Amino acid sequence: GDIIGETNPINVAMDSATNVVANFERFPEITVISPNGGENLSGETNHLIQWNWEGNIEFVDIEFSTNNGTSWEPVVSATANDGSYSWLVPNQASNNCLIRISDYSDNDPFDVSDGLFSIVEYTGTMEVVINCDDEYELWVNGNFVGNNDQWDVAQTYEVAVRNGQNA
């Protein structure tokens, strides 16, 4: 007869005149690759959500949480399971964000980011401050970019800006 089980190993008892044929199939699995913890994402920018999978998983659901998994909001439902999805990061500031990816057919298997990541709200404005006292410093939105030990102050420098953050 057939022996079916979900434990590994499966114990089979047989006598010396019995032949055994065993077929083993790996259980489906999903693993979040990015964002997987520690990232700082800007709202209103695209981020490539990435994952690995094993087994027969045709479509996945992707969700995100801004409250450490207490509640989840959909990113996309029933997207092709091809290992990546370009996500327009919502403009919801939080340091407690997670991504969850699950099999669309029954939400099993699923995986959640290993750690928290942050979303920084995009305000659409930028402030550049150049201090010209004894030392030349460049600050963008409160972030120190460099000083006169790092560049020639007689030259013109371009500051590339992407969605409110220095590039």
Side-chain angles (χ1 to χ4, degrees):
D2 293 338
I3 297 174
I4 299 173
E6 295 185 12
T7 61
N8 190 8
I10 296 173
N11 295 316
V12 178
M14 57 185 226
D15 61 32
S16 63
T18 304
N19 294 321
V20 174
V21 176
N23 294 311
F24 297 96
E25 182 179 321
R26 293 186 67 119
F27 290 108
E29 184 176 313
I30 295 173
T31 305
V32 174
I33 302 300
S34 177
N36 201 32
E39 296 89 348
N40 293 306
L41 307 182
S42 258
E44 302 298 322
T45 63
N46 285 311
H47 179 80
L48 192 62
I49 297 173
Q50 297 177 294
W51 65 94
N52 290 330
W53 78 96
E54 291 185 20
N56 186 19
I57 303 171
E58 191 173 358
F59 299 99
V60 295
D61 287 339
I62 303 175
E63 302 164 286
F64 79 101
S65 172
T66 56
N67 55 20
N68 198 17
T70 300
S71 62
W72 296 91
E73 297 180 41
V75 172
V76 65
S77 181
T79 190
N81 182 27
D82 59 8
S84 67
Y85 180 82
S86 183
W87 177 38
L88 179 60
V89 179
N91 207 20
Q92 298 177 15
S94 174
N95 294 321
N96 298 305
C97 300
L98 295 167
I99 285 289
R100 178 168 65 186
I101 302 173
S102 59
D103 184 342
Y104 168 72
S105 66
D106 62 2
N107 295 321
D108 184 37
F110 70 93
D111 191 36
V112 176
S113 305
D114 288 343
L116 298 171
F117 64 91
S118 298
I119 296 176
V120 178
E121 186 176 8
Y122 169 58
T123 62
T125 62
M126 181 183 83
E127 174 187 14
V128 176
V129 177
I130 301 175
N131 297 326
C132 296
D133 298 329
D134 294 335
E135 185 175 284
Y136 301 94
E137 296 178 340
L138 177 61
W139 293 76
V140 177
N141 288 336
N143 297 311
F144 178 70
V145 177
N147 62 31
N148 60 327
D149 293 333
Q150 297 166 318
W151 66 60
D152 178 357
V153 294
Q155 290 189 11
T156 301
Y157 292 88
E158 289 185 26
V159 176
V161 176
R162 269 195 306 264
N163 288 340
Q165 294 186 349
N166 59 304

